[in-house]
Amino acid sequence: MLSPQELDTLLNLLKESGKPFESIAQSFYKNFPKSEQFKVGCVICMLLQDQLLTQTQRLVGFYLLYDIYRNETLPTTPFVPIVLETVEQTSDVVERKFLLQFLTSPPKELPKQSVKDFLTGCDPSEFPTIPDLDAFRRMHQEGAPQVIAGLALGIRPCVRDRSDESYWVPTTGDDAEEIASGLDLNSEELTLLSLEPTWSRPVPPLLETTVDEVFWLSVPHLLCEPMWDYTMCADTSLGSEVRELIVKAVKAPLPSSQQQVIFSGLEQDAKLVYHCGLTPRKLPDLVENNPAIAIEVLLKLMSSSQITGYFTVLVNMEMSLHSMEVVNRLTTAVDLPTEFVHLYISNCISSCENIKDKYMQNRLVRLVCVFLQSLIRNKIINVQDLFIEVQAFCIEFSRIREAASLFRLLKTLENQQG
């Protein structure tokens, strides 16, 4: 996993007990780029699990595991399990107190301290309270990616002898650091590769020959590799092409030839509209990029119970020329719910009133006035239901010719009904 030079650099960093934690971390980042930090973190975990580090080296190692992912949340930090396991199993009160800080939030002064400073200020007789570690495990399991079951069955290819005779690092004593510096580690021991169990795959026997087959006296050479037919089970239907084009239509305008393919597919298969991949969430993008396709799809969905969700999104999306084009086309083709049309008109009026850019405001007001005149003349809406709101809108923007024209139309209708 690490070259001998990289392993030597890591071990030298772990021995820096007199430097502040943040200084050690900076040296770590200088020696190991971002792409290598997870791999080095795994090596630190192996050294910790195999008890190959002194107390001070362990604290430095745990700090580096924390600092690599300090900007991420607890569930997405990959080294949480070893911290929780060590908190439960360690008999070192100082180490447990050090690790419990990382499960909540470390003190602000910790990066400025060295390992020796932390050990000096820590009272070994003070036993820290252990929180509910199962809650932290559940948080991590819910947020962490799942490992394939087969990969979790392997073991490390090299396991050190853990007997008393081979336990080379003393826990106390003045010579601990000196003995630790003489560690003779083989870089091949520190690897993520594991020995997985092999699966038995017997060679299938040859079938017995039938009476109508030629019996080979000498079996010819058989192909070692299967010849795959990659066209098998491939969906070559028109529905597949329509689904692919709908995905593109949501992202960008389509040429007329591709639009015709969609129209033809929806016409041939009435149920295809339910499987074309369009959802209410994607409707605003389809309306802005390909309003004609949006109109056709919504018309096909009119008899469905799902149409209410599409109406809700269409009413509340940002007002534009294309959205009004879609609504206007729908109102002339089918009978839309009255409350839907009224809500959309109110949304258009509100959008015109709230826009700050005068040029864009004038442009949108003209569009809305032409749109409302079309609805009124085609008798799509009953003007009396929205008379007060539309009249106030016309008065507010009376400086615009289309608004004045709409106001005159309202007055004409009012006089005719009076």
Side-chain angles (χ1 to χ4, degrees):
M1 178 181 290
L2 294 183
S3 66
Q5 294 80 7
E6 291 173 329
L7 182 59
D8 186 58
T9 300
L10 176 62
L11 293 175
N12 288 332
L13 286 173
L14 295 178
K15 290 188 291 185
E16 298 286 357
S17 59
K19 291 185 178 181
F21 286 112
E22 62 180 4
S23 176
I24 300 174
Q26 290 301 320
S27 299
F28 176 83
Y29 298 137
K30 189 178 298 182
N31 285 282
F32 300 103
K34 183 75 173 177
S35 59
E36 299 290 319
Q37 289 170 12
F38 173 74
K39 182 175 69 174
V40 181
C42 293
V43 171
I44 296 175
C45 288
M46 295 176 189
L47 295 173
L48 292 168
Q49 289 173 329
D50 291 347
Q51 302 291 340
L52 299 176
L53 301 176
T54 63
Q55 183 189 49
T56 58
Q57 291 173 339
R58 288 176 65 85
L59 297 185
V60 174
F62 277 118
Y63 182 85
L64 290 177
L65 293 182
Y66 156 76
D67 201 68
I68 294 173
Y69 291 93
R70 68 182 183 280
N71 295 324
E72 297 193 20
T73 58
L74 184 68
T76 59
T77 303
F79 301 121
V80 169
I82 187 174
V83 174
L84 298 176
E85 179 184 344
T86 306
V87 169
E88 282 184 331
Q89 299 179 1
T90 184
S91 58
D92 189 339
V93 177
V94 175
E95 184 174 86
R96 177 176 293 163
K97 183 177 180 180
F98 185 77
L99 292 179
L100 287 175
Q101 300 177 111
F102 299 144
L103 296 179
T104 53
S105 56
K108 293 182 179 180
E109 66 274 7
L110 180 63
K112 305 292 184 182
Q113 293 180 332
S114 65
V115 179
K116 293 181 178 179
D117 294 336
F118 178 81
L119 294 175
T120 302
C122 188
D123 185 2
S125 62
E126 181 181 333
F127 291 90
T129 303
I130 301 179
D132 182 10
L133 300 182
D134 289 335
F136 290 102
R137 283 195 179 90
R138 286 192 296 270
M139 290 172 57
H140 183 263
Q141 290 172 355
E142 291 172 1
Q146 298 298 315
V147 179
I148 300 174
L151 297 179
L153 296 176
I155 60 171
R156 294 253 295 283
C158 296
V159 180
R160 282 182 171 262
D161 183 5
R162 297 292 299 279
S163 63
D164 294 337
E165 292 78 9
S166 66
Y167 194 64
W168 64 273
V169 178
T171 56
T172 59
D174 297 334
D175 297 331
E177 291 289 341
E178 182 179 353
I179 297 176
S181 63
L183 174 61
D184 182 18
L185 277 177
N186 187 340
S187 59
E188 294 181 357
E189 296 182 45
L190 304 176
T191 173
L192 287 178
L193 300 178
S194 56
L195 300 175
E196 287 82 16
T198 58
W199 298 98
S200 177
R201 296 179 176 87
V203 178
L206 294 176
L207 296 176
E208 293 292 335
T209 57
T210 60
V211 292
D212 58 342
E213 286 183 319
V214 176
F215 183 77
W216 292 95
L217 296 178
S218 176
V219 179
H221 175 70
L222 299 178
L223 293 176
C224 297
E225 292 293 331
M227 298 182 67
W228 296 106
D229 181 3
Y230 292 100
T231 62
M232 291 179 62
C233 301
D235 188 357
T236 58
S237 63
L238 180 61
S240 175
E241 187 176 4
V242 170
R243 284 190 290 272
E244 292 178 1
L245 290 177
I246 288 291
V247 172
K248 295 179 181 178
V250 172
K251 300 177 181 178
L254 295 184
S256 58
S257 59
Q258 293 183 338
Q259 292 187 28
Q260 288 302 320
V261 173
I262 295 177
F263 298 153
S264 176
L266 295 177
E267 191 64 33
Q268 293 179 28
D269 185 357
K271 294 184 179 180
L272 181 57
V273 70
Y274 302 106
H275 312 289
C276 67
L278 181 66
T279 62
R281 183 173 59 86
K282 299 177 182 178
L283 180 61
D285 292 331
L286 181 62
V287 169
E288 291 304 322
N289 289 306
N290 293 277
I293 297 177
I295 293 170
E296 191 66 24
V297 172
L298 291 174
L299 288 175
K300 296 293 183 183
L301 287 168
M302 279 299 169
S303 59
S304 168
S305 60
Q306 304 173 11
I307 193 62
T308 304
Y310 291 92
F311 279 162
T312 303
V313 172
L314 187 59
V315 166
N316 294 294
M317 70 176 285
E318 185 177 349
M319 189 197 74
S320 66
L321 174 61
H322 285 171
S323 71
M324 282 192 287
E325 177 186 347
V326 171
V327 174
N328 189 45
R329 176 70 178 84
L330 292 176
T331 56
T332 58
V334 294
D335 293 330
L336 294 181
T338 305
E339 62 273 13
F340 160 71
V341 180
H342 289 178
L343 187 57
Y344 184 75
I345 293 173
S346 299
N347 182 40
C348 290
I349 292 175
S350 176
S351 298
C352 291
E353 293 173 346
N354 294 331
I355 193 168
K356 302 301 182 183
D357 188 315
K358 287 297 181 183
Y359 172 77
M360 289 300 300
Q361 185 182 57
N362 294 344
R363 183 171 179 271
L364 291 179
V365 168
R366 292 190 182 95
L367 291 175
V368 172
C369 290
V370 173
F371 173 64
L372 290 175
Q373 289 185 49
S374 174
L375 294 180
I376 293 172
R377 289 197 173 95
N378 293 324
K379 298 182 179 180
I380 303 299
I381 61 172
N382 185 354
V383 72
Q384 293 301 321
D385 296 338
L386 296 166
F387 185 82
I388 297 176
E389 185 177 5
V390 176
Q391 181 178 251
F393 171 73
C394 294
I395 294 173
E396 181 179 357
F397 298 102
S398 58
R399 69 182 185 280
I400 298 175
R401 182 180 59 187
E402 286 79 4
S405 176
L406 176 61
F407 183 77
R408 287 193 296 271
L409 177 60
L410 293 177
K411 286 300 181 183
T412 300
L413 294 174
E414 184 180 24
N415 294 332
Q416 289 176 356
Q417 294 176 359

